[in-house]
Amino acid sequence: MASDVNTADGETVILNCIDSDGSRLDGDHEEIVISTAEVSQWDLTSLAHRPIIKIKANRQRLIQQSSYFHGLLSGSFSESCFDSISIHWDVESLLSMLRFIFGCSMDLTSENFLPLYEASLFFGVDRLLLVCRSWLDYVTSEVRIWPPQLCLEDLVHIWDYGRDNAIDFIPQLTGYLARNFIWMASCDSFHNVPFELLLSCVKQPCLTVDSEKLLCDAILLWLAANTNPSDRLRSTGDARLEILTEIRTNLLSLPFAAGKRRCPFFSKFAERSVDAICSLAASRSFILADILGGGDCNQLRFHLTEYTKILDLSGCPQINLLLLLLNMLPSSNNLDKLLMKKLNQLSLKLERHVDISRIPWETFPVLTFEAVQVVDVSNCPMLHLEAAIEFFSKSFPSLTTLKAAYILTFRTMKLYQLLQRFPLLSDIDLTVDSTPVIPAKVSVISSFPAVMMQISTSPNDETCPDVPAFHFSRQLSNITKLILEGRTDIYDSDLQNIAECCPSLCCINLNACTSITDSGISILILKCVELHSIFVCDTSFGHNCVLSLCRNISRLDAVAMKMADNTNSLAYKLQILHIGGCKGINETYLLELISQTQRIRSLCLRETQLVDNSLYKFSGSSLEMLDVSDTKECFHIILYNNVFQDISMHFEENVKRQQTPTCFLLLNSPRLCVSCHAVGHVVRGNPLLKCLIARGCRHLLLEENDILGNSPVLYYELGGSLGEDGLKLVPTFCPWLETLILYFQVVSDSVVRNILETLKNLQVLALCYCFGEISSLSFQSSVPSLRKLKLERVSTQMTNDDLLILSRNCMNLTELSLVGCKRLNSESQDTISNGWPGLISLHLEDCGEVTAQGVTSLMNCQALEDLLLRHNGLGIDRNFIIRAASKMPLLRKVAVDVCDAKDGDFDLPDFSDRNFLRIVKIARCNLKRRTLGSTKSGTCTTPVHAETLILTWDSRKLSRTVVKERL
């Protein structure tokens, strides 16, 4: 083959590189010649688009580095004497290979790995082949837990290539993807993963997931994407469904498992899962032999590996101390006899209420999982957290975050034990449900002496040795965030000791901690100088706290306020301050506090003595959330365009994106609040404001232009209502809206249907006490994103058939509240329990005859955490509260009315049979004779609320209070 290039020295050969992709041959045919002598200057980006490239290359270098060129250029082939040869191959990978042969470094990625590997294999470039293998070994090595810049689609192609060509890529890739399963499941191309690869990953011993729920959800999503709609109704017959047997259904969270009972190909698994979970949760003792059967404990083992960073067990009432310990022991299908004996002895000790501090925990060979940083055991009522801390500290030495919300048996006094055991711990959440008995909000008729818990007879209160509350050593804690919301068993002395122990505290949440005082909170504020986020709603936060926050101010007079250097005060550094419901701050102190919060991002002032002057004194410009609900003076509001991203009309919509213009509006109620002038001052100075809440404001009036200056404004004069036309504009202005709450607005089927059909991200919808009537026509379209729905006094004509339509089109609801649906009857219980088996909150009030024949099918909603049944028909059994607590392992709050009690009253649970209950509210009514609207048969009577009995449990006692309010 001739060439016009001078090759007289015989050391150079011309490579005519022709791209194997024939489509490129129709492009630019201009001849281009490059040389390997200038290989470092090649522009691969532009060269890769050339269909034909001529390359002058050193013949000997090619022969030395490539077995292909060795045979072609120095062997018996006729081409060995040619000065030019043609090569049909992908230009980009061929050029990259030649660059490597002639001394350039190789930058491998998941995208170019396979083309380069194929090229090096075909052309016999052993050094490049070794580099490729080394790179794959490195990026899939055990030490690299999280994916570097890898593409799942590329990894799948590599796996396919390895399988088709019998190359041993498969073990590396399956192990890597198993360790990074959560990343794989989050990729857009996850549904394209071959079933064989997915099944292989799930079967890997190193499979690492935060929870069994995440694994199950990923598998179900894959099956849904790869199964024909007609086949989804069949739970058998598809060989791919065998992957469902790999899910350890006994370890699913109860709300998740219950909700999946409607999933076509998982319904049977979900039923068995719910039964097993409830059986384990109902057992007061942990009989290891019964649960393990023949000794196989695989189904009770978490996917806890050396790579695990997060362990999420939230919502699992079946998790108890022994089951947790079982997972800390070396993994084996069968426990040895000695260890089995120890576990059975431990089970017996727990049954006999032996002091846990006397149990020899050191005899159990617990493993250490260095990578674990986050543990979430929230809503695990059977877990003895105080004892679990003992071996958590041994197994999770790197723990930084502990979430243990709604574990009522954990005593706040044991916080010392928790802090001492985990030196790296920085974030703790010990939230419990807030008591409804807030002194500033209720009128107490009578209260009873607290009933103390008897530790000696309670299996959930055996603890490690008692230590004085917060008896701290000199070792200081690294805690930066502490959430104690709702805990009534925390006192001023505890706060003082927290302040001594936690000098790095940045965020404290004491919402509804009703046992602490203004002085106690102020001491904490004074000593924790790093605080920037304070949540103290519905507490005694008052003047002392304000003085601590503004501690450079010695006198709250005009001279002091003018001369003081506020930039050194803690108030000046605050980012979040929530003091809603704190009645102990007068106007003067509140004004001074607000004037110093210049960096604040979130400010809650609801139900405080807020006046206009306080808002005029506010000079911050970083506000994202402001709550001025039910404050002091008259409030008129304007609607701004391009200002808010959340409509808050008791109206709190969380919109996460800011690309589209939005208008925000806040209204309603006869209460008086601050004026529009003052609110406008704050709004104009805070362009990042996303959420403005002003519930309790009645009037929405047109405002003068001089208030707004040159700001762009969208005006409505609606007298406290958006009206139907205004509501139709909501999807236009807020297309990404996730939460929409409307009180006292004019609604109709067309408005609601428009909202549901256009707001594809809507998760929360509340229509409460609105004007107009909606029917099943509002819910004719599927709304899979909707999770919470409130229909209160807006659907009085709803029938059982309408409810059935609602359940079919809003099938993913987890919270449902229906008030005033008077045409519903007992059949509605079947619709609710079958349509929404995963409900965690259900409120039914004044809904016809739903409970006239007792509470039957609703007992199948076994994941309920919050249940309210009032004025739905006389027929509820006397023992309903106790029975519901035993059937629903996560039930924490129950509210009923004596009007519905078949025997005229309800049995009250005590410590032994309350299970997980935190709050029970029993309302009582008096019958009031109506003088108007009498019938021929006699004068009508109507129930009128009289009082509410409230039972609340904390970690130590039961409190009983009777209040006037209907809570």
Side-chain angles (χ1 to χ4, degrees):
M1 187 176 291
S3 172
D4 59 355
V5 179
N6 181 14
T7 57
D9 57 6
E11 293 297 321
T12 303
V13 64
I14 301 299
L15 304 178
N16 296 310
C17 300
I18 304 171
D19 198 293
S20 58
D21 184 358
S23 63
R24 296 187 184 181
L25 295 178
D26 297 331
D28 185 3
H29 289 275
E30 180 184 353
E31 183 178 284
I32 182 171
V33 181
I34 59 177
S35 171
T36 56
E38 300 170 343
V39 67
S40 61
Q41 300 177 21
W42 289 2
D43 183 1
L44 292 183
T45 304
S46 60
L47 291 174
H49 298 288
R50 295 278 182 174
I52 302 176
I53 301 174
K54 290 188 176 183
I55 305 173
K56 293 192 298 182
N58 184 282
R59 180 188 295 265
Q60 293 303 316
R61 189 63 177 263
L62 290 174
I63 292 172
Q64 293 169 2
Q65 297 292 322
S66 165
S67 61
Y68 173 87
F69 288 116
H70 182 276
L72 190 65
L73 299 177
S74 65
S76 59
F77 292 102
S78 60
E79 287 87 351
S80 62
C81 60
F82 290 169
D83 294 331
S84 176
I85 58 175
S86 296
I87 302 172
H88 291 263
W89 199 261
D90 173 68
V91 169
E92 186 172 3
S93 58
L94 181 59
L95 291 176
S96 296
M97 183 190 73
L98 290 173
R99 288 183 80 252
F100 178 81
I101 288 176
F102 287 92
C104 292
S105 60
M106 180 60 65
D107 183 18
L108 281 164
T109 66
S110 63
E111 183 178 6
N112 67 14
F113 168 83
L114 196 54
L116 287 172
Y117 187 90
E118 288 185 278
S120 62
L121 195 62
F122 180 84
F123 290 101
V125 184
D126 291 339
R127 283 203 314 116
L128 180 56
L129 201 62
L130 180 61
V131 169
C132 289
R133 292 304 301 262
S134 299
W135 177 86
L136 187 63
D137 289 342
Y138 172 69
V139 298
T140 60
S141 63
E142 294 185 356
V143 294
R144 297 186 66 82
I145 301 175
W146 296 110
Q149 292 181 349
L150 297 178
C151 173
L152 177 61
E153 210 166 353
D154 296 331
L155 296 181
V156 169
H157 290 154
I158 296 171
W159 182 86
D160 279 334
Y161 179 83
R163 180 190 57 179
D164 295 342
N165 295 277
I167 301 175
D168 57 347
F169 291 159
I170 293 179
Q172 291 171 263
L173 289 171
T174 53
Y176 174 80
L177 292 174
R179 294 193 301 273
N180 297 282
F181 188 87
I182 295 175
W183 167 76
M184 178 173 71
S186 68
C187 294
D188 293 337
S189 59
F190 174 66
H191 62 281
N192 292 326
V193 173
F195 175 75
E196 184 183 344
L197 174 57
L198 180 63
L199 181 61
S200 179
C201 289
V202 170
K203 287 178 175 289
Q204 288 286 315
C206 63
L207 176 66
T208 303
V209 290
D210 298 351
S211 67
E212 205 68 25
K213 175 179 68 175
L214 288 178
L215 174 63
C216 182
D217 215 21
I219 292 175
L220 293 178
L221 286 173
W222 188 95
L223 288 171
N226 290 275
T227 306
N228 293 326
S230 58
D231 295 334
R232 293 179 191 173
L233 298 178
R234 298 182 305 187
S235 59
T236 59
D238 189 341
R240 293 177 302 179
L241 295 180
E242 69 173 286
I243 197 173
L244 296 175
T245 62
E246 298 298 321
I247 300 171
R248 297 168 186 179
T249 53
N250 287 1
L251 297 177
L252 290 172
S253 71
L254 180 55
F256 178 84
K260 292 302 177 183
R261 286 189 290 195
R262 288 194 65 177
C263 181
F265 36 66
F266 192 68
S267 58
K268 292 182 179 178
F269 291 92
E271 288 288 353
R272 289 199 295 266
S273 175
V274 171
D275 290 343
I277 291 169
C278 292
S279 177
L280 285 171
S283 176
R284 289 297 179 180
S285 63
F286 190 96
I287 308 302
L288 194 62
D290 293 343
I291 294 175
L292 298 185
D296 182 9
C297 56
N298 248 358
Q299 283 298 311
L300 292 175
R301 284 198 178 275
F302 316 141
H303 289 286
L304 187 60
T305 71
E306 59 184 301
Y307 312 104
T308 300
K309 287 190 173 182
I310 300 174
L311 178 61
D312 182 2
L313 302 174
S314 59
C316 293
Q318 70 273 33
I319 300 297
N320 61 21
L321 187 62
L322 199 55
L323 179 55
L324 204 56
L325 177 58
L326 185 66
N327 279 275
M328 305 296 113
L329 298 174
S331 179
S332 173
N333 287 339
N334 297 288
L335 298 173
D336 62 66
K337 292 182 179 180
L338 179 60
L339 191 54
M340 178 73 81
K341 181 179 179 181
K342 290 181 181 179
L343 290 172
N344 284 329
Q345 288 175 346
L346 176 59
S347 179
L348 291 173
K349 290 179 180 179
L350 293 176
E351 285 187 66
R352 296 169 182 171
H353 317 315
V354 173
D355 186 352
I356 288 179
S357 65
R358 299 178 182 177
I359 295 175
W361 299 107
E362 66 279 359
T363 63
F364 295 98
V366 294
L367 298 174
T368 299
F369 301 91
E370 294 279 355
V372 174
Q373 298 177 4
V374 179
V375 171
D376 190 347
V377 289
S378 300
N379 256 4
C380 294
M382 296 301 292
L383 178 63
H384 196 304
L385 183 59
E386 294 174 13
I389 288 171
E390 291 298 323
F391 55 87
F392 273 179
S393 62
K394 296 179 176 62
S395 293
F396 309 136
S398 303
L399 192 67
T400 61
T401 301
L402 176 63
K403 299 178 181 180
Y406 309 112
I407 297 185
L408 201 59
T409 54
F410 181 79
R411 296 175 293 177
T412 309
M413 64 177 291
K414 292 295 182 177
L415 188 56
Y416 158 79
Q417 175 191 2
L418 180 58
L419 298 181
Q420 294 296 97
R421 293 291 191 274
F422 300 96
L424 299 181
L425 197 60
S426 62
D427 187 341
I428 302 176
D429 184 357
L430 297 173
T431 300
V432 296
D433 294 297
S434 299
T435 174
V437 186
I438 303 294
K441 291 187 173 183
V442 298
S443 304
V444 176
I445 297 175
S446 61
S447 59
F448 305 88
V451 179
M452 304 304 295
M453 183 181 294
Q454 300 297 317
I455 295 179
S456 60
T457 61
S458 174
N460 279 334
D461 208 47
E462 294 295 333
T463 65
C464 299
D466 280 341
V467 294
F470 295 106
H471 178 69
F472 298 113
S473 65
R474 293 183 180 181
Q475 180 181 354
L476 299 179
S477 169
N478 287 315
I479 292 296
T480 58
K481 183 178 181 181
L482 180 60
I483 303 177
L484 300 171
E485 181 170 344
R487 290 202 165 264
T488 55
D489 58 345
I490 184 170
Y491 301 92
D492 286 355
S493 58
D494 302 323
L495 293 184
Q496 184 171 356
N497 287 309
I498 289 174
E500 295 288 346
C501 176
C502 308
S504 301
L505 193 62
C506 297
C507 174
I508 184 72
N509 186 332
L510 299 171
N511 285 345
C513 293
T514 55
S515 300
I516 56 178
T517 69
D518 181 27
S519 297
I521 304 172
S522 67
I523 291 174
L524 178 73
I525 293 173
L526 275 174
K527 293 186 177 181
C528 296
V529 296
E530 300 295 326
L531 275 174
H532 57 64
S533 301
I534 300 175
F535 300 82
V536 285
C537 293
D538 300 313
T539 66
S540 298
F541 181 98
H543 294 169
N544 288 321
C545 293
V546 174
L547 289 173
S548 295
L549 288 171
C550 309
R551 56 183 176 273
N552 285 346
I553 306 298
S554 58
R555 306 190 319 273
L556 289 179
D557 55 39
V559 176
M561 293 179 187
K562 186 175 181 179
M563 296 179 61
D565 179 13
N566 296 339
T567 59
N568 291 325
S569 70
L570 185 58
Y572 179 80
K573 303 173 183 177
L574 282 178
Q575 298 176 20
I576 300 175
L577 179 63
H578 286 203
I579 55 174
C582 297
K583 308 289 189 181
I585 319 171
N586 65 26
E587 297 174 12
T588 304
Y589 278 77
L590 190 56
L591 182 150
E592 180 56 32
L593 175 59
I594 292 174
S595 69
Q596 293 195 33
T597 54
Q598 297 179 26
R599 298 183 178 181
I600 204 82
R601 291 188 291 106
S602 181
L603 182 60
C604 176
L605 301 169
R606 64 167 172 82
E607 301 172 28
T608 61
Q609 298 188 45
L610 181 67
V611 295
D612 282 359
N613 285 343
S614 299
L615 290 182
Y616 284 126
K617 279 284 187 178
F618 180 75
S619 57
S621 59
S622 305
L623 264 184
E624 298 176 12
M625 194 288 288
L626 175 64
D627 186 348
V628 292
S629 303
D630 296 323
T631 45
K632 191 170 182 181
E633 294 185 350
C634 182
F635 180 68
H636 304 160
I637 189 155
I638 24 78
L639 292 179
Y640 288 82
N641 192 22
N642 291 327
V643 175
F644 306 107
Q645 195 174 1
D646 240 325
I647 294 183
S648 192
M649 209 156 92
H650 183 229
F651 206 87
E652 311 162 355
E653 296 82 332
N654 299 321
V655 186
K656 293 186 176 177
R657 308 188 184 183
Q658 301 183 19
Q659 292 90 335
T660 56
T662 53
C663 60
F664 280 65
L665 172 84
L666 327 183
L667 351 156
N668 268 329
S669 151
R671 292 287 302 272
L672 299 177
C673 0
V674 290
S675 72
C676 178
H677 291 260
V679 173
H681 165 77
V682 175
V683 170
R684 286 193 299 271
N686 290 268
L688 299 178
L689 194 62
K690 298 176 183 177
C691 182
L692 175 60
I693 304 173
R695 186 181 180 182
C697 302
R698 188 175 184 84
H699 302 290
L700 180 67
L701 300 179
L702 185 65
E703 199 56 57
E704 291 84 7
N705 289 334
D706 59 344
I707 297 177
L708 305 174
N710 297 321
S711 299
V713 174
L714 178 65
Y715 285 107
Y716 290 99
E717 185 173 6
L718 301 170
S721 173
L722 274 176
E724 188 167 337
D725 292 336
L727 285 175
K728 287 180 179 178
L729 291 176
V730 169
T732 302
F733 283 102
C734 310
W736 301 104
L737 209 59
E738 294 181 356
T739 301
L740 179 60
I741 303 175
L742 302 176
Y743 278 71
F744 303 109
Q745 300 301 297
V746 177
V747 296
S748 65
D749 283 329
S750 61
V751 168
V752 177
R753 189 165 58 247
N754 175 58
I755 288 172
L756 293 177
E757 290 176 353
T758 54
L759 295 177
K760 299 301 182 182
N761 296 311
L762 193 66
Q763 297 182 22
V764 179
L765 176 63
L767 306 176
C768 305
Y769 303 92
C770 291
F771 305 105
E773 180 78 14
I774 64 171
S775 68
S776 60
L777 294 176
S778 295
F779 299 94
Q780 292 294 328
S781 301
S782 177
V783 194
S785 64
L786 200 64
R787 295 295 184 270
K788 302 178 183 180
L789 177 64
K790 283 186 178 183
L791 299 176
E792 300 183 356
R793 306 290 181 189
V794 294
S795 191
T796 59
Q797 300 303 309
M798 178 184 286
T799 64
N800 295 334
D801 291 338
D802 295 332
L803 188 63
L804 184 62
I805 293 173
L806 185 66
S807 70
R808 289 172 177 170
N809 291 322
C810 302
M811 62 184 300
N812 293 321
L813 290 183
T814 59
E815 298 185 22
L816 175 65
S817 177
L818 300 176
V819 177
C821 302
K822 295 180 179 294
R823 297 183 65 184
L824 298 180
N825 58 35
S826 58
E827 295 179 5
S828 300
Q829 292 191 38
D830 290 326
T831 302
I832 292 172
S833 61
N834 293 328
W836 300 292
L839 282 177
I840 62 173
S841 176
L842 176 63
H843 288 195
L844 300 176
E845 183 170 357
D846 201 14
C847 287
E849 300 294 316
V850 172
T851 59
Q853 298 180 28
V855 180
T856 53
S857 301
L858 288 183
M859 287 295 180
N860 294 326
C861 296
Q862 290 165 291
L864 279 174
E865 301 172 11
D866 178 9
L867 177 61
L868 182 148
L869 298 173
R870 284 177 172 166
H871 290 178
N872 301 305
L874 178 65
I876 302 180
D877 291 334
R878 186 182 188 93
N879 68 342
F880 165 72
I881 298 174
I882 297 173
R883 187 163 63 95
S886 67
K887 295 288 186 180
M888 303 171 181
L890 295 177
L891 191 63
R892 303 194 309 271
K893 296 184 287 185
V894 173
V896 291
D897 196 300
V898 173
C899 292
D900 297 334
K902 184 169 62 174
D903 298 322
D905 212 341
F906 295 101
D907 293 334
L908 302 181
D910 57 24
F911 285 105
S912 62
D913 54 15
R914 72 176 178 87
N915 290 288
F916 196 28
L917 284 176
R918 157 71 169 162
I919 299 167
V920 172
K921 296 181 288 188
I922 303 176
R924 299 178 187 274
C925 294
N926 292 327
L927 292 179
K928 182 179 180 181
R929 179 170 296 179
R930 291 187 294 179
T931 57
L932 298 177
S934 301
T935 64
K936 294 181 180 179
S937 59
T939 302
C940 294
T941 59
T942 184
V944 177
H945 174 72
E947 61 189 21
T948 304
L949 171 64
I950 302 174
L951 286 74
T952 57
W953 288 264
D954 61 22
S955 63
R956 302 186 306 114
K957 64 183 184 301
L958 162 65
S959 300
R960 296 172 296 174
T961 310
V962 178
V963 301
K964 288 183 179 180
E965 290 77 9
R966 184 179 182 83
L967 301 176

